Amino acid sequence: MDYNQRGAGAEAEAEATEIPKMDSGERRLNELGYKQELRREMVCFNWLYEIFLETTGSLYFWAAHLAGPRWGPFASWCCAWLETIGLIAGIGTQAYAGSQTLQSIILLCTGTNKDGGYFAPKWLFLCMYIALTIIWAVLNTFALQVIAFIDIISIWWQVIGGLVIVIMLPLVAPTTQSASYVFTHFETSPDSTGVSSKPYAVVLSFLVSQYSLYGYDAAAHLTEETKGADKNGPIAILASIGIITFFGWAYILALTFSIQDFSYLYDPSNETAGAFVPAQILYDAFHGRYQNSTGAIILLFIIWGSFFFGGLSITTSAARVVYALSRDKGIPFSSIWRQIHPKHKVPSRAVWLCAAICILLGLPILKVNVVFTAITSICTIGWVGGYAVPIFARMVMAEKNFKAGPFYLGKASRPICLIAFLWICYTCSVFLLPTYYPISWDTFNYAPVALGVGLGLVMLWWLLDARKWFKGPVRNIDNGNGKV
């Protein structure tokens, strides 16, 4: 072999053994002390609705670094557990809402509540809840590439489907409410809720909007699997907030303008059994116009799809947070839950742990009528409460200690942090209030009890043991050059 051949062979061998180039997100991950373990399949477009930070642990990683070396471990501990509780309960909210929508679809497909339609009993409702949870877990275990594709479908489903509902519903409704009714009229419904105070009704009215404004942060827990996450993050933040604000506002207005008889919406003897108010609004609109419920069923299916895609996304997020906290040894039996599927490169055991806890949260469906209120309260308090920790830490930290990223708000950051923190404190307090009066076992909002017990145990564990060894996010790269 001559020199040129030997040289060409050596060059080819060098190219074959060359270390693959990192994208900016993976390089930033290494700088933060984490090696790449999860498969990167996500791109910014897949997560247009989502916000993403810098690691799979996202919020509690930020809490640890923003709070500094002294308070970092405690801030990280509080944030991680709030986030974990909120996300797992978030799966339950989507499973419950999806089952509720499916219950209405089945009822209208078989007739109505007034003419022999089939209204799913509690045991079947629970089966639907469990089935959705298991489907999401299976997809998150074996089909990351499929999930990436489904998320593209989800975006178009929500955009096109949302536009269809927002445009079609007011056009189909036989009559529409006036702007003065929509924007100034109060309906406290004391007969169904027991609430007669208008100020109290205003306070409670924020619950729906706060509950609906979540789900956009799922990719915060997927940046380890997202290409160019450090550059795509700001795009996803702005796009997600803009889209959610527009479609959420438009959806609520479309429903409100299309109400035919408010007092009839909650009537258990109405066509949809008073179980799902949007279903009755849709039924009144289409049946009033066309004397059939086909259009209502189609739009309900669009709504059901939104819950399905949302539950799939939240399951992904919850599993990544459990995996990240296990990777940092912050969950009992962490060595089990941090295991990565050898073939699919996903935290499969964390996925099924989240699904199992979610199913347990749904078991009271068989006996209690306010399960959705409780799960929603737990979800929202945990979720937005988790955000309060790094926001507060950023608000009080010395500016010289803050290292800005590619997207920085500058002098506006502290005022925005203050407003956000106060809003979180307000909404978390409201979610602890009762929504029905008089208070009884059937109407009691047991979220304060559930959260009190859960968080109390977490704090007790911290005081007695965890504070001695939990140091927040644990580096799994020994040094800055990427060596493990």
Side-chain angles (χ1 to χ4, degrees), residues 238-278:
L238 297 175
S240 64
I241 293 174
I243 291 173
I244 289 173
T245 301
F246 173 78
F247 279 104
W249 181 251
Y251 174 71
I252 292 173
L253 288 180
L255 288 174
T256 310
F257 272 107
S258 303
I259 293 174
Q260 301 302 299
D261 182 359
F262 184 88
S263 62
Y264 189 59
L265 296 179
Y266 295 91
D267 189 340
S269 65
N270 67 20
E271 287 80 3
T272 57
F276 188 47
V277 168

Side-chain angles (χ1 to χ4, degrees), residues 134-153:
I134 292 175
I135 290 170
W136 294 331
V138 170
L139 287 173
N140 272 282
T141 302
F142 301 110
L144 186 59
Q145 288 180 319
V146 174
I147 290 176
F149 176 72
I150 288 176
D151 280 307
I152 295 178
I153 298 175

